[in-house]
Amino acid sequence: MSDIAVRPQEWMEKISGLREHIGKVIVGQQDVVEQMLWCIFAGGHALLEGIPGLGKTMLVRTVSEALDLSFSRIQFTPDLMPSDITGTNILSFGQHGDTGMTFQKGPLFSSIVLADEINRATPKTQSALLEAMQEKTVTVGGVTHRLPKPFFVLATQNPLENEGTYPLPEAQLDRFLLKIEVSYPSADELKEIVKRTTSSHEFQVERQMTGDELLEIQRGAKEVLVAEEILDYAVRLLMMTHPEEAAAPEAVRKYVQFGSGPRGIQSIISVSKVRALCSGRMHVSTGDIRAVALSALRHRLFLNFEGQALGITTDHVVREVLQALEASA
Protein backbone atom coordinates (compact mmCIF):
# COMPACT_ATOMS: atom_id res chain seq x y z
CA MET A 1 0.00 0.00 0.00
CA SER A 2 1.01 3.62 -0.46
CA ASP A 3 1.62 6.07 2.34
CA ILE A 4 -2.01 7.24 2.35
CA ALA A 5 -3.72 6.92 5.74
CA VAL A 6 -6.34 4.20 5.18
CA ARG A 7 -9.47 4.81 7.27
CA PRO A 8 -12.21 2.54 5.82
CA GLN A 9 -14.53 2.87 8.82
CA GLU A 10 -14.42 6.67 8.77
CA TRP A 11 -14.94 6.78 5.00
CA MET A 12 -17.83 4.31 5.21
CA GLU A 13 -19.55 6.54 7.78
CA LYS A 14 -19.05 9.64 5.62
CA ILE A 15 -20.48 7.91 2.55
CA SER A 16 -23.40 6.56 4.61
CA GLY A 17 -24.17 10.07 5.90
CA LEU A 18 -24.04 11.44 2.36
CA ARG A 19 -26.41 8.72 1.14
CA GLU A 20 -28.92 9.39 3.92
CA HIS A 21 -28.85 13.15 3.32
CA ILE A 22 -29.55 12.69 -0.40
CA GLY A 23 -32.46 10.42 0.55
CA LYS A 24 -34.10 13.34 2.38
CA VAL A 25 -34.47 15.13 -0.95
CA ILE A 26 -34.78 12.31 -3.48
CA VAL A 27 -37.73 9.96 -3.03
CA GLY A 28 -36.84 6.32 -3.62
CA GLN A 29 -34.27 5.53 -6.34
CA GLN A 30 -31.91 4.01 -3.76
CA ASP A 31 -30.19 1.87 -6.40
CA VAL A 32 -29.67 4.89 -8.65
CA VAL A 33 -28.22 6.98 -5.80
CA GLU A 34 -25.96 4.10 -4.77
CA GLN A 35 -24.63 3.55 -8.27
CA MET A 36 -24.05 7.26 -8.79
CA LEU A 37 -22.03 7.41 -5.56
CA TRP A 38 -19.99 4.38 -6.70
CA CYS A 39 -19.26 6.20 -9.93
CA ILE A 40 -18.25 9.45 -8.24
CA PHE A 41 -15.95 7.82 -5.69
CA ALA A 42 -14.40 5.71 -8.45
CA GLY A 43 -13.65 8.96 -10.32
CA GLY A 44 -15.72 8.15 -13.41
CA HIS A 45 -18.61 9.52 -15.46
CA ALA A 46 -22.18 8.20 -15.42
CA LEU A 47 -24.91 7.96 -18.04
CA LEU A 48 -28.43 8.03 -16.59
CA GLU A 49 -31.21 6.74 -18.82
CA GLY A 50 -34.88 7.20 -18.01
CA ILE A 51 -38.06 8.90 -19.14
CA PRO A 52 -38.53 12.62 -18.36
CA GLY A 53 -39.73 13.67 -14.92
CA LEU A 54 -38.01 11.02 -12.82
CA GLY A 55 -35.83 13.52 -10.95
CA LYS A 56 -32.53 12.94 -12.72
CA THR A 57 -31.65 16.64 -12.78
CA MET A 58 -32.65 17.13 -9.13
CA LEU A 59 -30.58 14.10 -8.12
CA VAL A 60 -27.42 15.42 -9.78
CA ARG A 61 -27.92 18.91 -8.34
CA THR A 62 -28.52 17.48 -4.85
CA VAL A 63 -25.34 15.41 -5.04
CA SER A 64 -23.31 18.45 -6.11
CA GLU A 65 -24.67 20.54 -3.22
CA ALA A 66 -24.10 17.78 -0.66
CA LEU A 67 -20.51 17.43 -1.89
CA ASP A 68 -20.02 21.22 -1.97
CA LEU A 69 -18.84 21.10 -5.59
CA SER A 70 -19.38 23.58 -8.41
CA PHE A 71 -22.24 22.55 -10.70
CA SER A 72 -23.23 23.34 -14.28
CA ARG A 73 -26.23 22.15 -16.26
CA ILE A 74 -25.99 22.03 -20.05
CA GLN A 75 -29.20 21.45 -22.00
CA PHE A 76 -28.04 19.70 -25.15
CA THR A 77 -29.81 20.68 -28.38
CA PRO A 78 -28.97 20.12 -32.07
CA ASP A 79 -27.84 23.76 -32.48
CA LEU A 80 -25.41 23.64 -29.53
CA MET A 81 -21.87 24.42 -30.69
CA PRO A 82 -18.61 23.11 -29.12
CA SER A 83 -17.67 26.63 -27.99
CA ASP A 84 -20.98 26.85 -26.11
CA ILE A 85 -19.74 24.21 -23.68
CA THR A 86 -15.95 24.59 -23.75
CA GLY A 87 -15.73 28.38 -23.82
CA THR A 88 -14.09 30.66 -26.37
CA ASN A 89 -11.48 33.36 -26.85
CA ILE A 90 -12.97 36.85 -26.82
CA LEU A 91 -11.47 40.18 -27.81
CA SER A 92 -10.74 42.35 -24.77
CA PHE A 93 -9.70 46.01 -24.58
CA GLY A 94 -7.23 47.39 -22.05
CA GLN A 95 -7.30 50.75 -20.30
CA HIS A 96 -5.01 52.32 -22.89
CA GLY A 97 -6.78 51.03 -25.97
CA ASP A 98 -4.62 47.92 -26.37
CA THR A 99 -6.38 44.74 -27.40
CA GLY A 100 -5.87 41.07 -26.65
CA MET A 101 -7.61 37.72 -26.56
CA THR A 102 -9.02 36.45 -23.26
CA PHE A 103 -10.33 32.94 -22.71
CA GLN A 104 -13.92 32.93 -21.43
CA LYS A 105 -14.57 29.59 -19.68
CA GLY A 106 -17.63 27.59 -20.63
CA PRO A 107 -19.91 25.49 -18.39
CA LEU A 108 -17.55 22.50 -18.64
CA PHE A 109 -15.32 24.23 -16.09
CA SER A 110 -17.30 22.88 -13.13
CA SER A 111 -16.64 19.87 -10.94
CA ILE A 112 -20.01 18.29 -11.74
CA VAL A 113 -21.44 18.82 -15.22
CA LEU A 114 -24.98 17.68 -15.94
CA ALA A 115 -25.20 16.95 -19.68
CA ASP A 116 -28.98 16.89 -20.05
CA GLU A 117 -30.28 14.88 -23.03
CA ILE A 118 -26.76 14.35 -24.29
CA ASN A 119 -27.90 12.46 -27.38
CA ARG A 120 -29.56 15.60 -28.78
CA ALA A 121 -26.19 17.25 -29.46
CA THR A 122 -24.47 16.89 -32.82
CA PRO A 123 -21.37 14.67 -33.14
CA LYS A 124 -19.20 17.80 -33.36
CA THR A 125 -20.30 18.95 -29.90
CA GLN A 126 -20.15 15.42 -28.51
CA SER A 127 -16.51 15.17 -29.65
CA ALA A 128 -15.67 18.31 -27.65
CA LEU A 129 -17.23 16.69 -24.59
CA LEU A 130 -15.26 13.49 -25.27
CA GLU A 131 -11.91 15.27 -24.77
CA ALA A 132 -13.11 16.67 -21.45
CA MET A 133 -14.30 13.25 -20.29
CA GLN A 134 -11.16 11.37 -21.27
CA GLU A 135 -8.33 13.88 -20.86
CA LYS A 136 -9.90 16.22 -18.26
CA THR A 137 -8.81 19.10 -20.52
CA VAL A 138 -10.33 21.53 -23.02
CA THR A 139 -8.42 22.75 -26.08
CA VAL A 140 -9.45 26.08 -27.60
CA GLY A 141 -7.41 27.96 -30.19
CA GLY A 142 -4.51 25.55 -29.82
CA VAL A 143 -4.25 26.17 -26.07
CA THR A 144 -5.07 23.36 -23.63
CA HIS A 145 -6.86 24.28 -20.40
CA ARG A 146 -7.12 21.87 -17.47
CA LEU A 147 -10.50 21.19 -15.90
CA PRO A 148 -11.02 21.34 -12.11
CA LYS A 149 -10.47 18.39 -9.80
CA PRO A 150 -12.61 16.47 -9.17
CA PHE A 151 -14.45 16.48 -12.52
CA PHE A 152 -17.48 14.38 -13.43
CA VAL A 153 -19.86 14.33 -16.37
CA LEU A 154 -23.27 13.00 -15.35
CA ALA A 155 -25.28 12.72 -18.55
CA THR A 156 -28.93 11.88 -19.13
CA GLN A 157 -30.81 10.57 -22.12
CA ASN A 158 -34.44 9.73 -22.86
CA PRO A 159 -34.90 6.17 -24.22
CA LEU A 160 -38.33 6.94 -25.73
CA GLU A 161 -37.48 9.59 -28.32
CA ASN A 162 -35.22 8.91 -31.30
CA GLU A 163 -36.33 11.77 -33.56
CA GLY A 164 -33.86 14.65 -33.63
CA THR A 165 -31.23 12.71 -31.70
CA TYR A 166 -27.70 11.62 -32.48
CA PRO A 167 -26.93 8.24 -30.88
CA LEU A 168 -23.72 8.31 -28.88
CA PRO A 169 -20.80 6.65 -30.69
CA GLU A 170 -19.36 3.53 -29.11
CA ALA A 171 -16.14 5.35 -28.24
CA GLN A 172 -18.04 7.89 -26.15
CA LEU A 173 -20.32 5.31 -24.53
CA ASP A 174 -17.20 3.44 -23.46
CA ARG A 175 -15.96 6.52 -21.57
CA PHE A 176 -18.90 6.30 -19.17
CA LEU A 177 -17.91 4.23 -16.17
CA LEU A 178 -21.52 3.15 -15.56
CA LYS A 179 -24.83 3.32 -17.37
CA ILE A 180 -27.55 3.68 -14.76
CA GLU A 181 -31.19 2.85 -15.50
CA VAL A 182 -33.61 5.20 -13.70
CA SER A 183 -36.86 3.32 -13.08
CA TYR A 184 -40.41 4.59 -12.61
CA PRO A 185 -41.40 5.22 -8.96
CA SER A 186 -43.84 2.99 -7.09
CA ALA A 187 -47.31 4.15 -6.00
CA ASP A 188 -46.11 5.00 -2.47
CA GLU A 189 -43.13 6.90 -3.86
CA LEU A 190 -45.41 8.86 -6.21
CA LYS A 191 -47.54 9.93 -3.23
CA GLU A 192 -44.44 11.08 -1.35
CA ILE A 193 -43.16 12.98 -4.40
CA VAL A 194 -46.46 14.85 -4.66
CA LYS A 195 -46.43 15.70 -0.95
CA ARG A 196 -42.89 17.07 -1.09
CA THR A 197 -43.23 19.03 -4.31
CA THR A 198 -46.63 20.63 -3.68
CA SER A 199 -46.09 21.83 -0.10
CA SER A 200 -44.47 25.04 1.12
CA HIS A 201 -41.70 23.18 2.94
CA GLU A 202 -38.40 22.99 1.10
CA PHE A 203 -35.55 20.89 2.42
CA GLN A 204 -32.20 22.66 2.42
CA VAL A 205 -29.29 20.53 1.25
CA GLU A 206 -26.31 20.86 3.57
CA ARG A 207 -22.69 20.12 2.78
CA GLN A 208 -21.76 16.60 3.85
CA MET A 209 -18.31 16.32 2.31
CA THR A 210 -15.70 18.64 0.80
CA GLY A 211 -13.95 18.17 -2.51
CA ASP A 212 -10.69 17.35 -0.71
CA GLU A 213 -12.40 14.64 1.34
CA LEU A 214 -13.89 13.19 -1.84
CA LEU A 215 -10.45 13.06 -3.48
CA GLU A 216 -9.05 11.39 -0.37
CA ILE A 217 -11.73 8.67 -0.52
CA GLN A 218 -11.01 8.23 -4.25
CA ARG A 219 -7.33 7.64 -3.45
CA GLY A 220 -8.29 5.31 -0.60
CA ALA A 221 -10.52 3.24 -2.90
CA LYS A 222 -7.53 2.53 -5.13
CA GLU A 223 -5.85 0.88 -2.13
CA VAL A 224 -8.61 -1.74 -1.78
CA LEU A 225 -7.11 -5.17 -2.43
CA VAL A 226 -8.18 -7.49 -5.25
CA ALA A 227 -7.10 -11.11 -4.74
CA GLU A 228 -5.83 -13.03 -7.75
CA GLU A 229 -8.81 -15.40 -7.75
CA ILE A 230 -11.23 -12.44 -7.65
CA LEU A 231 -9.46 -10.86 -10.61
CA ASP A 232 -9.65 -14.19 -12.47
CA TYR A 233 -13.39 -14.26 -11.71
CA ALA A 234 -13.84 -10.79 -13.23
CA VAL A 235 -11.75 -11.73 -16.28
CA ARG A 236 -13.89 -14.84 -16.88
CA LEU A 237 -17.00 -12.67 -16.63
CA LEU A 238 -15.70 -10.28 -19.26
CA MET A 239 -14.49 -13.00 -21.61
CA MET A 240 -17.90 -14.68 -21.49
CA THR A 241 -19.42 -11.58 -23.14
CA HIS A 242 -17.56 -12.46 -26.37
CA PRO A 243 -19.50 -14.75 -28.74
CA GLU A 244 -16.37 -16.54 -29.95
CA GLU A 245 -15.48 -17.75 -26.44
CA ALA A 246 -16.21 -21.43 -25.76
CA ALA A 247 -17.59 -20.64 -22.29
CA ALA A 248 -19.97 -17.94 -23.56
CA PRO A 249 -23.64 -18.71 -22.83
CA GLU A 250 -26.12 -19.28 -25.64
CA ALA A 251 -27.58 -15.76 -25.41
CA VAL A 252 -24.14 -14.28 -26.11
CA ARG A 253 -23.40 -16.58 -29.04
CA LYS A 254 -26.81 -15.93 -30.62
CA TYR A 255 -27.37 -12.23 -30.03
CA VAL A 256 -24.05 -10.46 -29.38
CA GLN A 257 -21.90 -9.10 -32.20
CA PHE A 258 -19.11 -7.62 -30.05
CA GLY A 259 -18.41 -8.18 -26.38
CA SER A 260 -16.98 -5.71 -23.90
CA GLY A 261 -13.51 -4.25 -24.33
CA PRO A 262 -10.81 -3.78 -21.67
CA ARG A 263 -12.55 -0.72 -20.19
CA GLY A 264 -15.31 -3.07 -19.10
CA ILE A 265 -13.13 -4.93 -16.62
CA GLN A 266 -11.41 -1.71 -15.55
CA SER A 267 -14.83 -0.31 -14.67
CA ILE A 268 -15.90 -3.47 -12.86
CA ILE A 269 -12.79 -3.53 -10.68
CA SER A 270 -12.77 0.23 -9.99
CA VAL A 271 -16.42 0.29 -8.94
CA SER A 272 -16.13 -2.98 -6.99
CA LYS A 273 -13.36 -1.39 -4.91
CA VAL A 274 -15.66 1.51 -4.04
CA ARG A 275 -18.52 -0.85 -3.20
CA ALA A 276 -16.22 -2.76 -0.86
CA LEU A 277 -15.11 0.49 0.76
CA CYS A 278 -18.75 1.53 1.24
CA SER A 279 -19.14 -1.67 3.28
CA GLY A 280 -16.06 -0.93 5.38
CA ARG A 281 -13.95 -3.59 3.65
CA MET A 282 -10.49 -3.22 2.14
CA HIS A 283 -10.86 -6.23 -0.16
CA VAL A 284 -13.12 -7.00 -3.14
CA SER A 285 -15.45 -10.01 -3.10
CA THR A 286 -17.23 -11.89 -5.89
CA GLY A 287 -20.44 -10.31 -4.58
CA ASP A 288 -19.01 -6.89 -5.42
CA ILE A 289 -18.20 -8.04 -8.95
CA ARG A 290 -21.71 -9.39 -9.53
CA ALA A 291 -23.37 -6.29 -8.05
CA VAL A 292 -21.64 -3.84 -10.40
CA ALA A 293 -21.49 -5.99 -13.55
CA LEU A 294 -24.86 -4.98 -14.99
CA SER A 295 -24.35 -1.20 -14.92
CA ALA A 296 -20.69 -1.56 -15.97
CA LEU A 297 -21.40 -3.75 -19.02
CA ARG A 298 -24.89 -2.89 -20.33
CA HIS A 299 -23.53 -0.13 -22.59
CA ARG A 300 -20.45 -2.08 -23.68
CA LEU A 301 -22.15 -5.00 -25.44
CA PHE A 302 -23.25 -4.60 -29.05
CA LEU A 303 -26.08 -6.80 -30.25
CA ASN A 304 -26.26 -8.29 -33.74
CA PHE A 305 -29.20 -7.82 -36.08
CA GLU A 306 -31.08 -10.84 -34.74
CA GLY A 307 -30.80 -9.63 -31.15
CA GLN A 308 -32.03 -6.15 -32.07
CA ALA A 309 -34.88 -7.52 -34.21
CA LEU A 310 -36.10 -9.75 -31.38
CA GLY A 311 -35.92 -6.92 -28.85
CA ILE A 312 -33.25 -8.58 -26.76
CA THR A 313 -31.69 -6.19 -24.25
CA THR A 314 -28.08 -6.10 -23.13
CA ASP A 315 -29.36 -6.38 -19.54
CA HIS A 316 -30.83 -9.79 -20.41
CA VAL A 317 -27.53 -10.89 -21.94
CA VAL A 318 -25.44 -9.75 -18.95
CA ARG A 319 -27.78 -11.59 -16.56
CA GLU A 320 -27.37 -14.74 -18.65
CA VAL A 321 -23.58 -14.33 -18.42
CA LEU A 322 -23.75 -13.96 -14.63
CA GLN A 323 -25.90 -17.09 -14.35
CA ALA A 324 -23.52 -19.07 -16.54
CA LEU A 325 -20.56 -17.81 -14.51
CA GLU A 326 -22.17 -18.93 -11.25
CA ALA A 327 -23.01 -22.33 -12.74
CA SER A 328 -19.39 -22.84 -13.80
CA ALA A 329 -17.89 -21.69 -10.49
Side-chain angles (χ1 to χ4, degrees):
M1 287 193 179
S2 69
D3 56 357
I4 184 174
V6 178
R7 302 188 301 275
Q9 191 65 32
E10 179 185 338
W11 293 334
M12 182 185 70
E13 292 172 1
K14 280 186 175 292
I15 295 171
S16 178
L18 176 64
R19 186 189 300 117
E20 291 176 10
H21 194 72
I22 293 171
K24 294 178 181 177
V25 180
I26 304 300
V27 179
Q29 304 293 3
Q30 287 91 348
D31 288 343
V32 175
V33 172
E34 192 71 18
Q35 291 175 61
M36 185 178 290
L37 293 181
W38 292 347
C39 206
I40 287 174
F41 289 113
H45 313 290
L47 177 62
L48 288 80
E49 186 171 88
I51 63 174
L54 296 183
K56 298 185 292 293
T57 302
M58 180 180 286
L59 171 58
V60 176
R61 184 182 294 276
T62 302
V63 170
S64 68
E65 292 176 355
L67 291 173
D68 194 29
L69 297 175
S70 56
F71 170 77
S72 290
R73 177 177 183 259
I74 306 172
Q75 182 64 52
F76 279 66
T77 56
D79 60 347
L80 195 72
M81 298 297 291
S83 59
D84 293 331
I85 65 172
T86 61
T88 187
N89 291 317
I90 60 174
L91 185 64
S92 59
F93 297 90
Q95 293 181 348
H96 305 290
D98 53 320
T99 60
M101 300 301 291
T102 304
F103 178 64
Q104 182 70 41
K105 293 181 178 180
L108 276 183
F109 286 83
S110 296
S111 287
I112 292 185
V113 176
L114 171 60
D116 228 347
E117 295 188 282
I118 186 174
N119 55 333
R120 289 196 177 278
T122 61
K124 190 173 185 179
T125 303
Q126 289 179 9
S127 66
L129 183 63
L130 184 60
E131 179 195 351
M133 291 173 61
Q134 183 64 25
E135 308 298 336
K136 308 292 178 70
T137 61
V138 164
T139 303
V140 177
V143 179
T144 299
H145 307 269
R146 299 211 66 82
L147 294 169
K149 288 186 179 181
F151 173 75
F152 310 102
V153 172
L154 304 176
T156 70
Q157 65 178 15
N158 177 2
L160 301 180
E161 293 181 333
N162 293 318
E163 203 169 320
T165 63
Y166 300 84
L168 298 183
E170 286 77 4
Q172 187 160 356
L173 276 174
D174 206 27
R175 260 65 173 193
F176 286 103
L177 191 68
L178 299 179
K179 182 181 179 184
I180 304 170
E181 297 286 347
V182 184
S183 60
Y184 200 79
S186 65
D188 290 338
E189 290 170 348
L190 280 172
K191 288 171 61 178
E192 183 62 26
I193 289 171
V194 172
K195 289 177 182 177
R196 292 191 189 185
T197 55
T198 58
S199 68
S200 59
H201 176 71
E202 185 176 344
F203 181 79
Q204 295 297 318
V205 181
E206 299 176 357
R207 187 185 75 179
Q208 301 296 304
M209 191 180 299
T210 65
D212 289 339
E213 288 173 329
L214 188 151
L215 291 171
E216 182 186 40
I217 294 176
Q218 284 184 352
R219 291 191 294 269
K222 294 181 185 299
E223 301 293 332
V224 175
L225 300 176
V226 182
E228 195 69 24
E229 58 269 24
I230 300 297
L231 186 57
D232 289 340
Y233 184 88
V235 169
R236 290 205 310 276
L237 167 62
L238 192 83
M239 296 303 292
M240 289 171 72
T241 66
H242 293 262
E244 67 274 10
E245 285 292 317
E250 183 180 2
V252 172
R253 294 197 299 271
K254 286 182 64 176
Y255 305 125
V256 174
Q257 184 175 9
F258 300 109
S260 173
R263 283 199 185 95
I265 192 168
Q266 289 173 329
S267 298
I268 289 173
I269 296 300
S270 296
V271 180
S272 293
K273 287 184 173 187
V274 173
R275 186 179 187 271
L277 195 66
C278 290
S279 303
R281 291 180 282 110
M282 288 301 291
H283 65 275
V284 173
S285 68
T286 55
D288 296 320
I289 302 293
R290 291 194 300 271
V292 308
L294 191 60
S295 52
L297 296 178
R298 59 163 52 107
H299 56 302
R300 293 187 164 96
L301 303 185
F302 304 102
L303 302 179
N304 57 24
F305 177 78
E306 183 179 0
Q308 295 177 42
L310 293 174
I312 303 297
T313 64
T314 53
D315 281 21
H316 169 76
V317 174
V318 175
R319 290 190 180 101
E320 290 287 318
V321 170
L322 289 170
Q323 289 180 8
L325 183 63
E326 284 301 293
S328 65

